[in-house]
Amino acid sequence: MTVEQATQHLIENDPAFELTEITLNGIRYKAFRNIPETVSDLMEQGMLAHDDGAAPYLFFEDEHWSYGAFCNEVRHMAGVLHGTLGVRRGDRVALVMRNFPELPILTLAVASLGATAVFMNAWWTGAELDYALRDCEPRAVFADGARVAAIMPLKDRHGFALIGLRDGDGMCEHSYRALRNAWQGGTPARPQIMPEDDFAIMYSSGTTGHPKGVVQTHRAAVTAVYCWMMQAAIAPLRQPPAPNDPAPLPPSFLITTPLFHVTAMYPLFLFSLPSGARITLMYKWDAHEAIDIIRRNAVTRFLGVPTQSADLLTAVEESDAELPSLRFIGAGGAKRPAAQVDQLAQQFPQAMIATGWGMTETCALGIGMTGEEYSLRPEAAGHLHPPVQEMRIIDDAGRDLPPGEVGEIVIKSPAVMRCYLNQPEATADTLRDGWLHSGDLGMVDADGFVTILDRKKNIIIRGGENIACLDVEGAIHRHPDVIEACAFALPDDRLGEVVGAALHLRPGAWLDRDTLAAFLRDRLAHFKIPERIWCQHDPLPRASTEKTDRRAIRAACLAEADQSV
């Protein structure tokens, strides 16, 4: 079946994917008719997929929970939040920590009370934390040791309860362990929670100015999860298993990126609830440790930023390891270099190599593709995930553009955010008549494949010619000595801007500008070839989202121009 045929088959034959239309704020949307109304319902309905709770579920280092034990811990912590800390429907609870089991437990406990989980970046400075705490006004903040130390000086001015966990236990007024162990009051009654109620606030990366708090509803979260459920159901319809194929392995997800970002929270953690998957949390990314975890827990799904796929590939080659359980290797958060697609497919022939595009504002839902389609179009992002999303490519005047023309991608679906917290002007600028203006430039071909070219703000304008940074980076990544590249604008008296690039090279390798230019001559138009390059053997700086920090790299290169080659 084609994607369209498989989608229609599921809509007509599987009640889980039956469609309807809903009206939100006067705007009509396509929506699932029969999905759970809230994230708490999603957890409870997941019991059946997890062997009525008996299946092993959450793993972290030497700790593990069955699904039933995990859900019981969620209910117990809901009692602590409600009975001891006074959290009620509409309150906000901030979670500021690394990937500890307490984070998913508290996420669902907060949701069950009709309160809102606020995910704060664990790498923020004190000033950034101060801004976000003032912005969201939480009743309680849960933090690990490093974050407790950063938040303590801010506590008195904001007036919340601070609870330390793990290495933060004993550093502040409340201890997670002590509160948990002291509570004997049982599970509180669930308040009435509506699908349009707020589930979470997740802050955007904040590459310019303060980060924006993206408000995500229960309906948005559950809609995104069921769109991924549909992708899983579509796969065997498009490529049915052969009669002699072995039975599929139980789904097992490795969570390597921070749970305070959408890539880990939505298509991994929340998706695991109805899909029956076990999850393993990594405290800190290490490719060789990931190999051990994949072997030990028979991990089938690996989803991380592209540099993690590259790290895993290198570690497997160095250790001569085999990872036969892997069935899916996805990339999110940034575009994977095209050259990496075939390298992964050759190293992991049993796995579907996948790419995806989504936003914090869409609960990570968006565009994607896998397998042969991806191998044939490694520069593309894929198809719009069915069945409730709508997409347009528009020009600056808001007019629809035909296939093949470049414009801004705008998306409409029930998975889109409700608003930016406390920022009505930014909300009105981004959400217009139900359409989310992504700020990403792209085009769609006649077959419906979307190619993302760049952020609108990441365009270099050289003498009137628009140059997408991702276009330049994609060509540079094809050089065998380049591990990663970051292109950016350099000021030029004559042309206004020209292209510069910072390169992370393989150990022992080096490049000069002329050698790179010769390599790129048949791969890029001449005006897109970098005028200056900066080379190093260390990874390029990253922003809090684990994406390459283009602004910081550009500033460092300009400040240290004497190191350019």
Side-chain angles (χ1 to χ4, degrees), residues 244-250 327:
N244 296 326
D245 282 354
L249 294 169
R327 294 294 184 269

Side-chain angles (χ1 to χ4, degrees), residues 14-94:
D14 190 333
F17 304 120
E18 185 179 342
L19 294 184
T20 186
E21 282 194 348
I22 59 172
T23 301
L24 300 175
N25 299 320
I27 298 168
R28 301 286 288 178
Y29 295 87
K30 294 188 291 183
F32 292 112
R33 183 188 297 275
N34 301 316
I35 62 174
E37 290 194 336
T38 71
V39 171
S40 295
D41 296 330
L42 192 71
M43 181 190 84
E44 297 296 345
Q45 292 188 21
M47 292 290 284
L48 183 62
H50 291 270
D51 193 19
D52 290 329
Y57 176 58
L58 173 60
F59 292 79
F60 175 75
E61 297 181 347
D62 60 351
E63 305 170 36
H64 57 87
W65 289 261
S66 69
Y67 190 79
F70 171 81
C71 292
N72 286 337
E73 191 69 14
V74 169
R75 299 181 191 111
H76 185 85
M77 288 310 300
V80 173
L81 288 164
H82 185 271
T84 303
L85 298 173
V87 175
R88 300 291 186 269
R89 183 184 180 198
D91 287 340
R92 295 177 185 140
V93 177

Side-chain angles (χ1 to χ4, degrees), residues 495-509:
L495 298 169
E497 293 178 341
V498 294
V499 181
L503 312 181
H504 172 199
L505 301 180
R506 298 188 184 281

Side-chain angles (χ1 to χ4, degrees), residues 54 64 80 103 121 169 189 225 237 273 294 341 352 378 427 456 480 518:
H64 57 87
V80 173
L103 201 158
N121 194 302
D169 197 311
V225 167
L237 296 177
L273 302 177
I294 292 167
V341 180
M352 299 290 283
T427 300
K456 289 178 75 173

Side-chain angles (χ1 to χ4, degrees), residues 144-488:
D144 58 13
R147 267 48 67 175
V148 168
I151 292 169
M152 279 291 285
L154 311 173
K155 182 184 176 305
D156 290 344
R157 77 180 68 162
H158 295 293
F160 49 77
L162 180 59
I163 302 95
L165 55 85
R166 298 282 167 162
D167 57 346
D169 197 311
M171 291 177 62
C172 55
E173 60 184 317
H174 296 297
S175 156
Y176 181 97
R177 183 189 308 165
L179 292 177
R180 182 210 174 279
N181 292 342
W183 177 250
Q184 300 294 325
T187 304
R190 276 183 58 184
Q192 184 180 16
I193 306 170
M194 304 303 293
E196 286 13 283
D197 286 350
D198 295 345
F199 158 63
I201 297 169
M202 191 171 280
Y203 280 86
S204 64
S205 57
T207 55
T208 57
H210 288 301
K212 296 189 287 288
V214 178
V215 181
Q216 303 156 333
T217 65
H218 284 265
R219 184 188 297 277
V222 178
T223 295
V225 167
Y226 264 77
C227 284
W228 289 308
M229 290 285 286
M230 175 171 262
Q231 304 319 302
I234 284 173
L237 296 177
R238 297 200 64 203
Q239 189 174 350
N244 296 326
D245 282 354
L249 294 169
S252 178
F253 301 169
L254 178 58
I255 298 180
T256 65
T257 57
L259 281 160
F260 50 75
H261 291 318
V262 287
T263 301
M265 177 56 60
Y266 286 92
L268 288 173
F269 168 50
L270 291 182
F271 179 40
S272 76
L273 302 177
S275 68
R278 70 174 65 179
I279 58 174
T280 303
L281 307 184
M282 285 193 77
Y283 172 77
K284 182 180 181 180
W285 170 246
D286 179 274
H288 290 281
E289 182 182 345
I291 288 173
D292 292 338
I293 293 172
I294 292 167
R295 286 169 159 173
R296 185 167 64 248
N297 289 350
V299 169
T300 60
R301 185 179 182 90
F302 178 94
L303 174 58
V305 295
T307 51
Q308 291 175 322
S309 297
D311 289 346
L312 184 67
L313 183 65
T314 300
V316 166
E317 291 171 346
E318 290 175 351
S319 62
D320 200 26
E322 294 185 359
L323 303 176
S325 67
L326 271 184
R327 294 294 184 269
F328 180 96
I329 302 176
K335 184 177 179 179
R336 174 184 278 131
Q340 193 185 100
V341 180
D342 282 342
Q343 293 170 353
L344 289 167
Q346 292 172 15
Q347 183 66 54
F348 305 104
Q350 80 287 353
M352 299 290 283
I353 312 304
T355 188
W357 171 92
M359 302 177 67
T360 306
E361 290 85 344
T362 66
C363 295
L365 185 64
I367 296 164
M369 62 178 168
T370 63
E372 185 178 3
E373 287 183 339
Y374 188 20
S375 293
L376 293 173
R377 303 170 181 84
E379 300 286 356
H383 278 286
L384 188 71
H385 286 314
V388 300
Q389 294 190 102
E390 300 172 65
M391 182 187 72
R392 298 161 57 206
I393 307 291
I394 63 171
D395 63 16
D396 288 341
R399 296 174 297 221
D400 290 296
L401 294 172
E405 292 202 19
V406 176
E408 184 179 9
I409 297 169
V410 296
I411 296 282
K412 178 183 175 185
S413 89
V416 164
M417 69 172 185
R418 181 173 70 78
C419 67
Y420 290 122
L421 182 66
N422 301 325
Q423 297 197 37
E425 291 184 2
T427 300
D429 185 57
T430 302
L431 275 178
R432 308 175 207 168
D433 298 323
W435 290 93
L436 178 82
H437 290 244
S438 70
D440 281 327
L441 295 175
M443 61 182 180
V444 60
D445 67 17
D447 297 319
F449 288 94
V450 181
T451 298
I452 311 280
L453 297 174
D454 215 330
R455 296 289 293 171
K456 289 178 75 173
K457 63 187 178 186
N458 285 344
I459 292 295
I460 301 167
I461 304 176
R462 180 189 184 277
E465 294 283 354
N466 287 352
I467 303 169
C469 290
L470 285 181
D471 191 15
V472 176
E473 290 162 5
I476 295 174
H477 273 121
R478 293 187 175 276
H479 193 287
D481 290 331
V482 175
I483 296 176
E484 56 182 339
C486 177
F488 46 83

